[in-house]
Amino acid sequence: MLSWEETPSISSMRWERAWVEVNLSAIAHNVRQIRTLLPPNTELMAVIKADAYGHGAVSVARTVLKAGASRLGVATIPEGIELREAGIRSPILVLGATYTPEQLQAMSRWQLEPTLCSPKQALVFAESCRDRPIPVHLKLDTGMSRLGVPWQEAAQFVELVRGLPHLKIASIYSHFATADSPDRAVMDLQHGRFRQAIAQIRELGLELPPLHLANSAATLSDRATHYDLVRVGLAIYGLYPAPHLSGAIALQTALQVKARVTQVKTVAAGTGVSYGHRFVTDRETRLAVVGIGYADGVPRHLSDRMQVLIRGGRVPQVGAITMDQIMLDVTDIPQVDVGDVVTLLGRDGDETISADDWAATLGTISWEILCGFKHRLPRVAIAEERRPRESKLRS
Ligand SMILES: *Cc1c(COP(=O)(O)O)cnc(C)c1O
């Protein structure tokens, strides 16, 4: 697999059949936009789990740290180690669950900061952490019903962890379940519980550690949730968690998915196309075969339900999406030829297709679309200022 460092420019994509282009300038722009919503002393944690939502964790980490984020969030220990091995030194919070002594030792060794979700985990970690103190982040469950100590037990939990050697409480946090909904009832309930838990911790007479609660949706919609730090994923990549949140700031999408036409042919009316012949032409049809398929992350459920961009126009994909290839009906754009670049997600001329469009067709969310592109697709970083000049195979 090609790493980012080995694919510094679009020219190295000349021979690739398909690839993901990531605009790091857009990501930097989004970080600066998000920062305008935050008081100067509120930190921005860029959530770059799942290979930065498919954008490439290391290059996104470098970009966001330069643009105004001060911390990173990952889901797993290997995700954190990848960043450390690339020389990234900022604080890194592991948002996911960890619970064995071996995991604690790995986090200690790589200076990754664990989330503490239960008294038992706290005791295991205190027992296994002998050499140096480790910063820990206490997670409260205020209504997501996922990781965390029940919010009613927050004060008890803080007392327990305070009493354990080697564990240093670096923050207390919780996570919203419905912050992207226009109906604020559950979000307000969760925020109320978080406040109550904090009040109880304060009653113990302790100095409060930093607090955090907001994901992208809460960061965009409610300044009262910002506290000392916000944990932003989706918005960094230029997507809005919901349409009603798109007014706050102007974000730019960063990811484009492209592939090349590999063969063009004309077939008669009444010709079946692809596996199962689920599509049959109703006129003489010019078909373009494109070198990308479901093994690259194009969902097979989009078969006959997606369009792509080519030569600045929009054409339908036809027939079943196969593992490595798709077919297009390009009858209406006769100039289409082998080597042409097809945009599956992104912009070509005045036309745009977004992860939100695919998500709407599939009945899912843009988060899942972004994470869905497989590592068979090389990633290439581009800067907005240097618009890539596409070169054709035949030239
Ligand atoms: C993934 C995640 C986030 C980021 O969520 P977005 O909606 O993408 O901003 C924040 N906090 C936690 C705990 C997460 O797991």
Side-chain angles (χ1 to χ4, degrees):
M1 223 244 316
L2 295 172
S3 78
W4 285 89
E5 278 59 47
E6 288 159 354
T7 60
S9 78
I10 193 73
S11 60
S12 59
M13 294 296 102
R14 197 170 301 163
W15 53 269
E16 289 285 353
R17 62 174 193 112
W19 63 95
V20 169
E21 254 172 55
V22 177
N23 183 341
L24 296 174
S25 315
I27 288 177
H29 164 89
N30 296 334
V31 168
R32 290 191 296 267
Q33 282 289 297
I34 294 160
R35 274 242 58 106
T36 64
L37 300 172
L38 308 176
N41 51 359
T42 295
E43 284 190 64
L44 173 56
M45 173 188 292
V47 177
I48 59 168
K49 58 195 180 191
D51 202 23
Y53 294 37
H55 292 65
V58 170
S59 42
V60 168
R62 293 193 180 120
T63 303
V64 295
L65 291 170
K66 241 186 263 163
S70 53
R71 290 170 180 269
L72 302 170
V74 297
T76 68
I77 295 169
E79 286 177 351
I81 293 175
E82 183 193 5
L83 299 171
R84 288 285 184 249
E85 284 187 323
I88 285 160
R89 304 169 76 124
S90 72
I92 299 176
L93 170 59
V94 178
L95 297 161
T98 53
Y99 44 88
T100 70
E102 293 76 18
Q103 288 173 321
L104 188 272
Q105 275 142 22
M107 288 187 283
S108 172
R109 167 152 180 250
W110 292 97
Q111 295 193 24
L112 307 174
E113 302 179 0
T115 293
L116 275 196
C117 303
S118 78
K120 183 163 177 220
Q121 180 200 14
L123 293 170
V124 169
F125 280 13
E127 185 59 24
S128 358
C129 187
R130 291 263 156 75
D131 10 313
R132 66 172 113 136
I134 185 157
V136 294
H137 300 257
L138 308 194
K139 181 84 182 275
L140 308 181
D141 181 0
T142 56
M144 173 72 177
S145 306
R146 198 171 63 176
L147 290 180
V149 165
W151 61 277
Q152 302 94 326
E153 295 163 24
Q156 249 174 292
F157 190 45
V158 169
E159 271 198 306
L160 169 78
V161 177
R162 272 190 73 236
L164 295 172
H166 303 309
L167 302 189
K168 202 173 143 285
I169 301 178
S171 80
I172 299 176
Y173 78 104
S174 189
H175 190 51
F176 284 123
T178 66
D180 53 351
S181 166
D183 178 351
R184 296 188 40 112
V186 173
M187 183 178 172
D188 290 342
L189 177 72
Q190 281 194 264
H191 193 180
R193 289 170 171 174
F194 190 69
R195 282 201 187 96
Q196 260 178 276
I198 298 310
Q200 283 162 14
I201 293 164
R202 200 178 265 130
E203 274 170 26
L204 297 175
L206 309 174
E207 206 187 306
L208 279 180
L211 306 174
H212 47 113
L213 186 55
N215 55 5
S216 291
T219 301
L220 294 175
S221 67
D222 185 355
R223 282 169 198 254
T225 65
H226 290 178
Y227 291 97
D228 300 297
L229 167 75
V230 295
R231 305 184 306 271
V232 182
L234 191 75
I236 299 261
Y237 310 106
L239 285 122
Y240 297 95
H244 73 280
L245 298 176
S246 64
I249 44 176
L251 300 174
Q252 298 170 2
T253 58
L255 180 140
Q256 301 195 84
V257 179
K258 300 190 175 177
R260 286 188 191 280
V261 173
T262 54
Q263 188 169 12
V264 182
K265 62 178 54 166
T266 301
V267 297
T271 303
V273 177
S274 193
Y275 292 123
H277 278 187
R278 56 192 278 168
F279 177 83
V280 177
T281 58
D282 58 4
R283 57 173 176 176
E284 183 178 88
T285 299
R286 200 158 160 76
L287 292 174
V289 183
V290 180
I292 191 170
Y294 62 75
D296 302 295
V298 182
R300 192 171 171 280
H301 273 302
L302 286 176
S303 296
D304 282 316
R305 298 162 76 194
M306 67 183 286
Q307 297 180 322
V308 304
L309 309 179
I310 185 166
R311 292 188 179 250
R314 223 171 236 271
V315 299
Q317 181 277 326
V318 294
I321 290 170
T322 73
M323 189 180 288
D324 316 303
Q325 304 175 77
I326 60 175
M327 273 67 87
L328 314 175
D329 178 347
V330 294
T331 314
D332 297 333
I333 308 183
Q335 319 89 289
V336 167
D337 204 348
V338 170
D340 279 4
V341 172
V342 173
T343 301
L344 288 92
L345 286 185
R347 174 145 42 147
D348 184 356
D350 297 332
E351 298 274 3
T352 303
I353 296 174
S354 75
D356 285 322
D357 296 331
W358 281 19
T361 305
L362 292 167
T364 185
I365 55 176
S366 58
W367 290 259
E368 190 186 16
I369 302 298
L370 294 179
C371 296
F373 295 102
K374 306 293 195 288
H375 275 101
R376 190 164 81 175
L377 293 179
R379 263 67 172 168
V380 58
I382 58 165
E384 177 80 321
E385 294 72 35
R386 287 187 290 118
R387 280 253 148 167
R389 267 188 313 118
E390 310 290 10
S391 52
K392 301 277 150 53
L393 273 182
R394 66 198 134 107
S395 64

